[in-house]
Amino acid sequence: MLKRYLPILTWLPHYTRRLAGADLLAGVIVTVMVIPQSLAYALLAGLPAVVGLYASILPLLAYTLLGTSRTLAVGPVAIIALMTGAALSGVATPGSPEYVQAALVLSLLSGLMLTVMGLLRLGFFANFLSHPVIAGFLSASAVLIAASQAAHLLGIASSGFTALELVTSLAAHLDQVHWPTLVIGLFCLAFLVGMRQVGERAFLAMGMPRGLASLLTRTGPVIAVIVTTLLSWQLQLAGRGVAVVGDIPGGLPPLTLPSLELPLWRALLVPALLISVVGFVESISMAQMLAAKRRERISPNQELVGLGGANVVAAFSGGMPVTGGLSRTVINFESGARTPMAGLFAALGIGAVTLAMTPLLEHLPIATLAATITVSILTLVDIPLLRQTWRYSRSDFSAMAVTIVLTLVEGVEAGIISGVLLSIALFLYRTSRPHSVLVGRIEGTEHFRSVERHETETVSHVAMLRVDESLYFANARYLEDTLYALVANRPEVEHVVLICSAVNLIDASALESLDAINARLQDSSVTLHLAEVKGPVMDRLKHSDFLDDLTGRVFLSTYAAWKELKKPRDTSA
Amino acid sequence: MLKRYLPILTWLPHYTRRLAGADLLAGVIVTVMVIPQSLAYALLAGLPAVVGLYASILPLLAYTLLGTSRTLAVGPVAIIALMTGAALSGVATPGSPEYVQAALVLSLLSGLMLTVMGLLRLGFFANFLSHPVIAGFLSASAVLIAASQAAHLLGIASSGFTALELVTSLAAHLDQVHWPTLVIGLFCLAFLVGMRQVGERAFLAMGMPRGLASLLTRTGPVIAVIVTTLLSWQLQLAGRGVAVVGDIPGGLPPLTLPSLELPLWRALLVPALLISVVGFVESISMAQMLAAKRRERISPNQELVGLGGANVVAAFSGGMPVTGGLSRTVINFESGARTPMAGLFAALGIGAVTLAMTPLLEHLPIATLAATITVSILTLVDIPLLRQTWRYSRSDFSAMAVTIVLTLVEGVEAGIISGVLLSIALFLYRTSRPHSVLVGRIEGTEHFRSVERHETETVSHVAMLRVDESLYFANARYLEDTLYALVANRPEVEHVVLICSAVNLIDASALESLDAINARLQDSSVTLHLAEVKGPVMDRLKHSDFLDDLTGRVFLSTYAAWKELKKPRDTSA
C-alpha cells in the first residue's frame, strides 16, 4: 500500500553503488545540459530566468519520491512554458511581481489537479486528447513559440500570444532590428542546426560509440551558451545594446507562498486544467516509450501524483509549472540514468549552480537562448503527418486542422479545447449513423459477409442485417428507420435477423426502439430474430422484458439462424 | 423539389369532398377542445390568456403548408409553456409589456433555429436526447408544472420556476388560501380524474363505439369549463375574490414585430435552442407514432421546417412558442382528421372564437384551467419507468436521475443540459474501456466465443482476442495496455489474432497504437494478425502503411486464422 503511493520504496532498498555511479554521471550531464533550457523556458513564459532554475531543483526531488518512471526528467518544458505565459498574461502584467506570484498559483492549482486526478484514478481523461489533436497542437505551438522567439533573435520588442498578435507586433518593430543581436542569433541558429544535421554522423565517423556521439551532439546548446557568453563578456556586448540575462540573484530557491485570492484562482482554473492535461500527456508518452524500451512498467495514475507533487513543490519554491520534458528526459536516458536517483543528483547539481555560479550567466545573450528554443521546438512541426492523416481519415484531419488553425489564431487554450470537442463530436456523429449491411453466406463456410462486397448465398424470405455499431440513444431512431425501410422495400421478407456481432451495448433508448421495431414488424407479419448477441449484452437484456416479447429467437451464431430459417415458412408450418 | 419544401403540394391535388368532410368535423372538434388548454398554457407561461389563442391560429396555417405529418396538431403545449415562462422571467417582469414582447422574440428565435436545422438537415441532433433523459425531464417538468398550478388551485399568489422556489413560495402564502377558489379547483380535479378513470369504460358500457367513447371522455375539460363558467357568472364569483380569465380583447390576431435588440436575442439564445429541440422531440415522436399507425411517412428534416415556420408566424401574430402537442394531436387523430386541412379548419374555428366569442370566457375561473393542466400533466410522471431503467442499466438510470434532480432543483434548462452531457460522457467513458475477451472455437463449428462463457477449444500458442469496441482515440492506449498485458502474462503465445468483428472504426490514434503494438510484439517474437476486418475499415487501412508493416496476416474469418495458425510453429517452418 505504502509502496503504491511512494514508489521510491520499491527501488531504494535494492539501490547499489553500481547504480549510484551510473545515476551520478547522468545527474552531472543533465545539470550541465538543462541549465540553458531552464533559463530559456522561464523567459518564454515571461518570467525571470532564475525561476526556470528554481523549478528544476526541488520539484525533481518530489518526483524522485513519487514518480514511477525510472528515467523521466522533470522540469520546465517549452509547451507548458508557452501555455503558462498565455495564462499569466491574462491576469497580470509581464514583469510585475503579480505575474511571478500568479505563476506560483498556476503551479499549485495544476499540482493539486494532477494529484486529485491521480488519487481518483482519472488518468484515462488524457485519452480524450487524440493523436491528431496533440500533433496539431504541438505543430501550431511550435510555430507560435518560434514566432515569439523571433523578436529576441532580431533584438526588437514584441509581444502577444496568438500568431496574428505576434506577426503584427514583429512587423511594427521591424525597423528597430538590432544587428549585433541578430548576428549572434543567426550564428547560434546555424551552429545548432549544423550540430543536429551532421553532428552525430561526424562523431560516428570519428569512431565514437553511438551513445556518446548522440550525447555529444546534444551539447550544442551548452557550447553555444559558453561561446556566446565569453564573447559577450569580452566585447561588453550588453553595453552595445545586446540583451543579456543579466544579474541573477544567487542562493537557494526561496520559500514562496502562493496567493489564496479566490478571483485569481478562478481565473487560472481552466488554464491550469489544460496545462495539467497537456503536461501529463507529454510526460506519460515519454515515460511509456522509455519504460517499453527497458521492459519496465509505469502506473499512469501514480504518474499523475508524481507530477502533481512536483508542481505543488514548484509553487512553494519560487518555480513555475513543470512536467516530464522531452529533451531533458532523452538526455537523462542516454546519459545512462538507471533510477530516479539521477533526478536527485541533477537537482543537487542545479542547486549548486544556482547557489554559486549565477554570476557566470550574467553576460549570456538572450538571443542564444532564443536560438536554442527555436531549434529544439521546430522539430515538433510535422508536415508529413498532415498529409498522412488527410489520406487516412478526413475526420481525423479536420480535428487536426481545426486544432492548428485555432491554436494559431485564437491561442493555445481555444485550440486544444476545440480540437477535443470536435473529435468527440465527430465520433458521436459517426456512431449516430451506423454502417449496416445485409449479409449472406460465403458458400461452403459458416461465415457471413456483406452481399455487396462478397459472393454470397441468400434466400429471399430472410433478411440478415448486420449493424456495425453499439445501439444507443444517438442511433436508436436511425435503427428504426433502417429496419422499417428494409421491410417496406422487400415485401417478400418473413424473417429479419439482426446480427449483433458489432453491438457492444444496447442502452435503454435502443431497447425501447427494439421493442417498437418488434411490435411493428409483428403487425406486418415479419418475425424479428437476433444472432451473435454478446455475453454482456445478453446479461443486460435478461433484466428487461424484451426477450419475452420478442417474436423470434436469439441464435448463438448467424449460421445457426441461417440453418433454421432458410427453409420456406410453408414447409416448417 | 418544390414538393419537398411545400409538402401541401403532395396531397392538395388529390383532395376530395370526402376528405374535406372528415377534416371539417375534426377541425370543429379540435376548436372546441383546445380552447381551454390554449388559454391555460398561455397562463402557465405567465402570458395573457389570449396569447394562447393567437398562437393557435396562424401558426396552424404555416404548418398546414409546410408540415409532412397528416394529423399533427400544432399549438402551445405544457412543457414548452413552462420552458417559455422560465426563459422569459429571466429577462422581463411577468405581466409587463416587455415580457409579452420577449415571448415574440423567443418564438422567432426558436422558429429560425428550427428552420435552419431543417434546411441543414440537422434533425439527427434531437437523437442526442436519450429516452431516459426525455422521460426524466418530462416527469420532473410535470411535477414542476403541478406545483406551479397548486397556487391557482388554492387561490394564492406564488411564483418561481424551481421546485424549491415554488414550495417555499406556496408555504409562505398558505395562510391566504381562498376557499371558494379551492372548492372550484377540487371539484374540477375530481371531475376530470373521474372522467379519465371511468369515463371511457362507462361510455363503452352504454354501447358507444370505441372512437366516440374515447372522444367523449376527452370532453371533460370542455364540460368543466362550461359548467364553472356558468356558475361563476351566475354567482358573480369574480366579485367574491375568485380569479377569473377576465376581459379578453376580441378581434383577429394582431400583426406584431419582434424586437431586434441584440442583448435580448443573446439572452434568449440558449433557452430558444432548448425549446426548439425539446419541442421537436415531442412533436416528432407524436408524428412518427401516428404515421406508423396509418403507414404514412414523415420527413424529420421537413418537420423541422414546418415547426420552424409555425413559430416564425407565431412571432408575427402575437403568439408564443408552439410545437406539435400530445393531447391536441390525439384529439385531432381520433376525431378523424385525414390531412393537414383539418388544421386549417381548426385555425378558422379558433379564429372565429377569438373574433367574436371571447366575452363568453370572461367568467371562466383560473382554477378550472389549473385543474385541467394538472390532470393532463401528471400522466407524464412515470414512476415504473424509473424502476425498469434501474434494473436495466445503471448508467441510463443515473442520466435519468440527474436530469430529474437538476430539473427540479435548478430548473428545466440545467436539467436537460446536464442529462444530455452526462449521457454522452457515460457513453464515451464506456467506449474508452472496451470489453475484450479471449475466444475459442465451439467444437464442431466455425463459431468462436468467449472462453469464459462457453465450452471452447483453444491452442496455447495462439491468443485470439475479440475487442468489443471501435478503436479510437479514447481507447487506443487501453488497447495497448490490454495487448501488452496479454503477451506478458502468457509467454507461450506466438500469435495474437485481433478479431475485429466489433470494430467499426479505426481512427488515426488507434492506427498509431496498432503500429506501436505491432512493433512491440515483433520485439518479443510475437506475430500480430487481424481477422474479420470489415469492408469500410479495411478500405481505410489500405490508405495507410499499416498493412505493409503488419508482421502477420489479415484473415477473412476467425476460422480461417484458426485453421492456419493452430499447427505449431516448428511444423510450419
Side-chain angles (χ1 to χ4, degrees), chain B residues 347-383:
Chain B
L348 292 175
I350 300 168
V353 170
T354 312
L355 188 61
M357 285 180 272
T358 49
L360 296 180
L361 296 168
E362 187 186 331
H363 296 283
L364 169 56
I366 303 274
T368 307
L369 295 177
T372 307
I373 296 177
T374 305
V375 171
S376 74
I377 208 72
L378 282 179
T379 55
L380 292 179
V381 179
D382 195 342
I383 303 292

Short mmCIF file of all heavy atoms in Angstrom, two decimals, chain B residues 347-383:
data_model
loop_
_atom_site.label_atom_id
_atom_site.label_comp_id
_atom_site.label_asym_id
_atom_site.label_seq_id
_atom_site.Cartn_x
_atom_site.Cartn_y
_atom_site.Cartn_z
N ALA B 347 -57.89 26.22 -37.28
CA ALA B 347 -57.41 27.60 -37.21
C ALA B 347 -58.56 28.58 -37.47
O ALA B 347 -58.70 29.59 -36.76
CB ALA B 347 -56.28 27.82 -38.22
N LEU B 348 -59.37 28.27 -38.49
CA LEU B 348 -60.52 29.13 -38.78
C LEU B 348 -61.47 29.15 -37.59
O LEU B 348 -61.97 30.20 -37.20
CB LEU B 348 -61.25 28.63 -40.03
CG LEU B 348 -60.48 28.77 -41.35
CD1 LEU B 348 -61.25 28.14 -42.50
CD2 LEU B 348 -60.19 30.24 -41.63
N GLY B 349 -61.71 27.98 -36.99
CA GLY B 349 -62.61 27.89 -35.84
C GLY B 349 -62.11 28.73 -34.68
O GLY B 349 -62.85 29.55 -34.11
N ILE B 350 -60.85 28.54 -34.34
CA ILE B 350 -60.31 29.29 -33.20
C ILE B 350 -60.28 30.77 -33.53
O ILE B 350 -60.53 31.63 -32.67
CB ILE B 350 -58.91 28.76 -32.81
CG1 ILE B 350 -59.02 27.28 -32.44
CG2 ILE B 350 -58.32 29.53 -31.64
CD1 ILE B 350 -57.69 26.56 -32.31
N GLY B 351 -60.01 31.09 -34.81
CA GLY B 351 -60.05 32.49 -35.24
C GLY B 351 -61.44 33.08 -35.01
O GLY B 351 -61.57 34.21 -34.49
N ALA B 352 -62.47 32.33 -35.37
CA ALA B 352 -63.84 32.82 -35.19
C ALA B 352 -64.14 33.05 -33.72
O ALA B 352 -64.73 34.08 -33.33
CB ALA B 352 -64.82 31.80 -35.79
N VAL B 353 -63.72 32.10 -32.87
CA VAL B 353 -63.95 32.26 -31.43
C VAL B 353 -63.26 33.52 -30.92
O VAL B 353 -63.83 34.33 -30.18
CB VAL B 353 -63.44 31.01 -30.66
CG1 VAL B 353 -63.43 31.26 -29.16
CG2 VAL B 353 -64.29 29.80 -31.00
N THR B 354 -61.99 33.68 -31.33
CA THR B 354 -61.23 34.84 -30.88
C THR B 354 -61.87 36.15 -31.34
O THR B 354 -61.90 37.14 -30.61
CB THR B 354 -59.78 34.77 -31.41
OG1 THR B 354 -59.28 33.47 -31.16
CG2 THR B 354 -58.89 35.79 -30.75
N LEU B 355 -62.40 36.11 -32.56
CA LEU B 355 -63.01 37.31 -33.13
C LEU B 355 -64.25 37.73 -32.36
O LEU B 355 -64.42 38.90 -32.03
CB LEU B 355 -63.36 37.04 -34.60
CG LEU B 355 -63.83 38.21 -35.44
CD1 LEU B 355 -62.75 39.27 -35.51
CD2 LEU B 355 -64.19 37.74 -36.85
N ALA B 356 -65.10 36.74 -32.04
CA ALA B 356 -66.44 37.11 -31.58
C ALA B 356 -66.84 36.58 -30.22
O ALA B 356 -67.76 37.10 -29.60
CB ALA B 356 -67.45 36.63 -32.63
N MET B 357 -66.19 35.54 -29.74
CA MET B 357 -66.77 34.90 -28.56
C MET B 357 -65.95 35.02 -27.29
O MET B 357 -66.25 34.36 -26.31
CB MET B 357 -67.05 33.43 -28.89
CG MET B 357 -68.27 33.30 -29.79
SD MET B 357 -68.64 31.60 -30.22
CE MET B 357 -67.66 31.37 -31.68
N THR B 358 -64.91 35.87 -27.31
CA THR B 358 -64.11 35.98 -26.08
C THR B 358 -64.90 36.47 -24.87
O THR B 358 -64.58 36.08 -23.75
CB THR B 358 -62.88 36.89 -26.30
OG1 THR B 358 -63.33 38.09 -26.93
CG2 THR B 358 -61.85 36.21 -27.16
N PRO B 359 -65.95 37.29 -25.05
CA PRO B 359 -66.70 37.69 -23.85
C PRO B 359 -67.26 36.50 -23.07
O PRO B 359 -67.42 36.55 -21.86
CB PRO B 359 -67.83 38.56 -24.41
CG PRO B 359 -67.30 39.09 -25.69
CD PRO B 359 -66.45 38.01 -26.25
N LEU B 360 -67.53 35.39 -23.79
CA LEU B 360 -68.05 34.21 -23.10
C LEU B 360 -67.06 33.63 -22.11
O LEU B 360 -67.43 32.92 -21.19
CB LEU B 360 -68.42 33.13 -24.12
CG LEU B 360 -69.53 33.46 -25.11
CD1 LEU B 360 -69.77 32.28 -26.04
CD2 LEU B 360 -70.81 33.78 -24.33
N LEU B 361 -65.77 33.91 -22.33
CA LEU B 361 -64.73 33.31 -21.48
C LEU B 361 -64.42 34.18 -20.27
O LEU B 361 -63.65 33.77 -19.40
CB LEU B 361 -63.46 33.09 -22.30
CG LEU B 361 -63.58 32.10 -23.47
CD1 LEU B 361 -62.37 32.18 -24.37
CD2 LEU B 361 -63.77 30.68 -22.94
N GLU B 362 -65.02 35.37 -20.23
CA GLU B 362 -64.66 36.34 -19.19
C GLU B 362 -64.75 35.76 -17.78
O GLU B 362 -63.89 36.00 -16.94
CB GLU B 362 -65.56 37.57 -19.31
CG GLU B 362 -65.14 38.69 -18.38
CD GLU B 362 -66.14 39.87 -18.41
OE1 GLU B 362 -66.78 40.09 -19.45
OE2 GLU B 362 -66.26 40.53 -17.37
N HIS B 363 -65.81 34.98 -17.52
CA HIS B 363 -66.04 34.50 -16.15
C HIS B 363 -65.38 33.16 -15.84
O HIS B 363 -65.53 32.64 -14.74
CB HIS B 363 -67.55 34.41 -15.88
CG HIS B 363 -68.22 35.74 -15.93
ND1 HIS B 363 -68.13 36.64 -14.89
CD2 HIS B 363 -68.94 36.34 -16.89
CE1 HIS B 363 -68.79 37.75 -15.21
NE2 HIS B 363 -69.29 37.59 -16.44
N LEU B 364 -64.67 32.61 -16.81
CA LEU B 364 -64.02 31.32 -16.60
C LEU B 364 -63.01 31.40 -15.45
O LEU B 364 -62.04 32.17 -15.50
CB LEU B 364 -63.31 30.91 -17.90
CG LEU B 364 -62.34 29.73 -17.88
CD1 LEU B 364 -63.00 28.47 -17.35
CD2 LEU B 364 -61.82 29.48 -19.29
N PRO B 365 -63.16 30.59 -14.38
CA PRO B 365 -62.20 30.66 -13.27
C PRO B 365 -60.83 30.09 -13.67
O PRO B 365 -60.76 29.07 -14.37
CB PRO B 365 -62.84 29.77 -12.19
CG PRO B 365 -64.27 29.61 -12.59
CD PRO B 365 -64.29 29.70 -14.08
N ILE B 366 -59.80 30.77 -13.23
CA ILE B 366 -58.43 30.30 -13.49
C ILE B 366 -58.23 28.91 -12.87
O ILE B 366 -57.50 28.07 -13.41
CB ILE B 366 -57.40 31.28 -12.87
CG1 ILE B 366 -57.59 32.69 -13.43
CG2 ILE B 366 -55.98 30.79 -13.08
CD1 ILE B 366 -56.91 33.00 -14.70
N ALA B 367 -58.87 28.65 -11.74
CA ALA B 367 -58.70 27.37 -11.06
C ALA B 367 -59.14 26.21 -11.95
O ALA B 367 -58.55 25.11 -11.90
CB ALA B 367 -59.51 27.35 -9.76
N THR B 368 -60.13 26.43 -12.80
CA THR B 368 -60.57 25.38 -13.73
C THR B 368 -59.43 25.04 -14.70
O THR B 368 -59.15 23.87 -14.95
CB THR B 368 -61.79 25.88 -14.53
OG1 THR B 368 -62.77 26.33 -13.62
CG2 THR B 368 -62.34 24.76 -15.40
N LEU B 369 -58.80 26.09 -15.21
CA LEU B 369 -57.69 25.86 -16.13
C LEU B 369 -56.54 25.15 -15.42
O LEU B 369 -55.91 24.24 -15.97
CB LEU B 369 -57.22 27.19 -16.73
CG LEU B 369 -58.23 27.90 -17.62
CD1 LEU B 369 -57.68 29.23 -18.10
CD2 LEU B 369 -58.63 27.03 -18.81
N ALA B 370 -56.27 25.56 -14.17
CA ALA B 370 -55.19 24.93 -13.40
C ALA B 370 -55.48 23.45 -13.20
O ALA B 370 -54.57 22.60 -13.32
CB ALA B 370 -55.03 25.64 -12.05
N ALA B 371 -56.75 23.12 -12.92
CA ALA B 371 -57.10 21.71 -12.74
C ALA B 371 -56.90 20.94 -14.05
O ALA B 371 -56.39 19.82 -14.06
CB ALA B 371 -58.55 21.59 -12.27
N THR B 372 -57.26 21.57 -15.16
CA THR B 372 -57.08 20.93 -16.48
C THR B 372 -55.61 20.62 -16.73
O THR B 372 -55.25 19.51 -17.13
CB THR B 372 -57.57 21.90 -17.59
OG1 THR B 372 -58.89 22.31 -17.27
CG2 THR B 372 -57.54 21.24 -18.94
N ILE B 373 -54.77 21.62 -16.47
CA ILE B 373 -53.33 21.41 -16.69
C ILE B 373 -52.82 20.30 -15.78
O ILE B 373 -52.11 19.38 -16.22
CB ILE B 373 -52.55 22.71 -16.38
CG1 ILE B 373 -52.96 23.81 -17.35
CG2 ILE B 373 -51.06 22.47 -16.45
CD1 ILE B 373 -52.27 25.14 -17.07
N THR B 374 -53.17 20.38 -14.49
CA THR B 374 -52.63 19.43 -13.51
C THR B 374 -52.96 17.99 -13.90
O THR B 374 -52.09 17.12 -13.89
CB THR B 374 -53.20 19.74 -12.11
OG1 THR B 374 -52.92 21.10 -11.82
CG2 THR B 374 -52.59 18.84 -11.06
N VAL B 375 -54.24 17.76 -14.26
CA VAL B 375 -54.64 16.38 -14.56
C VAL B 375 -53.94 15.89 -15.82
O VAL B 375 -53.45 14.75 -15.87
CB VAL B 375 -56.17 16.30 -14.71
CG1 VAL B 375 -56.57 14.92 -15.23
CG2 VAL B 375 -56.82 16.58 -13.37
N SER B 376 -53.84 16.74 -16.84
CA SER B 376 -53.24 16.24 -18.08
C SER B 376 -51.73 16.05 -17.91
O SER B 376 -51.14 15.15 -18.49
CB SER B 376 -53.54 17.17 -19.25
OG SER B 376 -52.78 18.34 -19.15
N ILE B 377 -51.12 16.88 -17.08
CA ILE B 377 -49.66 16.83 -16.98
C ILE B 377 -49.17 15.69 -16.11
O ILE B 377 -48.09 15.13 -16.34
CB ILE B 377 -49.14 18.20 -16.47
CG1 ILE B 377 -47.74 18.45 -16.97
CG2 ILE B 377 -49.16 18.28 -14.96
CD1 ILE B 377 -47.67 18.77 -18.40
N LEU B 378 -49.97 15.31 -15.11
CA LEU B 378 -49.48 14.30 -14.17
C LEU B 378 -49.39 12.91 -14.79
O LEU B 378 -48.71 12.03 -14.26
CB LEU B 378 -50.30 14.29 -12.88
CG LEU B 378 -49.95 15.44 -11.93
CD1 LEU B 378 -50.81 15.41 -10.67
CD2 LEU B 378 -48.47 15.39 -11.53
N THR B 379 -50.03 12.71 -15.94
CA THR B 379 -49.86 11.42 -16.63
C THR B 379 -48.44 11.26 -17.15
O THR B 379 -48.02 10.17 -17.51
CB THR B 379 -50.82 11.32 -17.83
OG1 THR B 379 -50.59 12.46 -18.67
CG2 THR B 379 -52.26 11.32 -17.39
N LEU B 380 -47.69 12.36 -17.20
CA LEU B 380 -46.31 12.27 -17.69
C LEU B 380 -45.35 11.72 -16.63
O LEU B 380 -44.23 11.35 -16.95
CB LEU B 380 -45.81 13.65 -18.14
CG LEU B 380 -46.45 14.24 -19.38
CD1 LEU B 380 -45.88 15.61 -19.67
CD2 LEU B 380 -46.25 13.32 -20.57
N VAL B 381 -45.78 11.72 -15.37
CA VAL B 381 -44.90 11.21 -14.31
C VAL B 381 -44.91 9.69 -14.38
O VAL B 381 -45.94 9.05 -14.21
CB VAL B 381 -45.37 11.68 -12.92
CG1 VAL B 381 -44.45 11.13 -11.84
CG2 VAL B 381 -45.38 13.20 -12.86
N ASP B 382 -43.75 9.13 -14.66
CA ASP B 382 -43.68 7.69 -14.94
C ASP B 382 -42.77 7.02 -13.92
O ASP B 382 -41.58 6.86 -14.13
CB ASP B 382 -43.16 7.50 -16.37
CG ASP B 382 -43.39 6.09 -16.86
OD1 ASP B 382 -43.62 5.20 -16.03
OD2 ASP B 382 -43.34 5.88 -18.08
N ILE B 383 -43.36 6.63 -12.79
CA ILE B 383 -42.56 6.01 -11.72
C ILE B 383 -42.07 4.60 -12.10
O ILE B 383 -40.90 4.28 -11.88
CB ILE B 383 -43.37 5.98 -10.40
CG1 ILE B 383 -43.82 7.38 -10.00
CG2 ILE B 383 -42.55 5.33 -9.28
CD1 ILE B 383 -42.73 8.31 -9.59
#
